Amino acid sequence: MTAFGLLVAGCEVRFTADLGTDAPADPDISRVEANVLGLDFRRDDGTSVTLEFRTGELVDLIDLTEGDPLRLFTDEQLPPGRYTGVRLLFDEDEGENSVTAGNDGFPLLLASGEYAAVAFQVEDEERSQEKLTLMLDLRQSLSFDEARSEYTLAPRLRAIRTD
């Protein structure tokens, strides 16, 4: 059993997260494809906890502006602690990441975003359920470098507790 397995064996916390997006400022942008890898959580003791997919998942973030959000995790276990922030993780292989604006395609560089504020606690020997919806604001997250003809995505998230 791994150390992570030992930490979560006593608690029955179930964590679920969804991802939605707000539209970019440029109405000509029709696709924003990013290779999402998971979530990174900040705890109040300065440590972090990561939940990752087995492999990155290429997601068109424009598809998440309307309709149902993307389910990132369902009933995952988190180790005990007080959680204060969450941010998106991306696969380091950026070859597939791109933006389509009008008839043109552009490379998309992925930057680490700031942690969005969250506030929940996981305690040993207690059952609880935490559900979050993360909203990625593409207006504030997406920027274009005209000199290099490329976009950068530096995620600006809001975390909303979902009941």
Side-chain angles (χ1 to χ4, degrees), residues 51-116:
L51 290 179
E52 288 186 354
F53 310 136
R54 287 191 175 116
T55 60
E57 182 174 333
L58 193 62
V59 176
D60 182 359
L61 299 172
I62 298 296
D63 286 346
L64 305 179
T65 61
E66 296 178 14
D68 294 330
L70 173 68
R71 175 65 43 99
L72 296 173
F73 294 100
T74 303
D75 291 335
E76 291 294 323
Q77 291 186 340
L78 289 172
R82 183 177 306 273
Y83 291 82
T84 61
V86 61
R87 67 179 173 180
L88 279 171
L89 294 176
F90 296 101
D91 193 332
E92 291 185 21
D93 179 14
E94 296 182 354
E96 298 177 313
N97 303 320
S98 64
V99 173
T100 302
N103 293 326
D104 298 319
F106 301 93
L108 176 63
L109 303 177
L110 301 171
S112 293
E114 297 295 318
Y115 285 95

Side-chain angles (χ1 to χ4, degrees), residues 7-15 75-78 80 122-130:
L7 286 173
V8 297
C11 62
E12 296 205 23
V13 173
R14 298 293 181 194
F15 173 77
D75 291 335
E76 291 294 323
Q77 291 186 340
L78 289 172
V122 175
E123 295 185 31
D124 278 329
E125 305 301 327
E126 285 195 18
R127 292 179 148 212
S128 67
Q129 188 166 4
E130 294 295 334

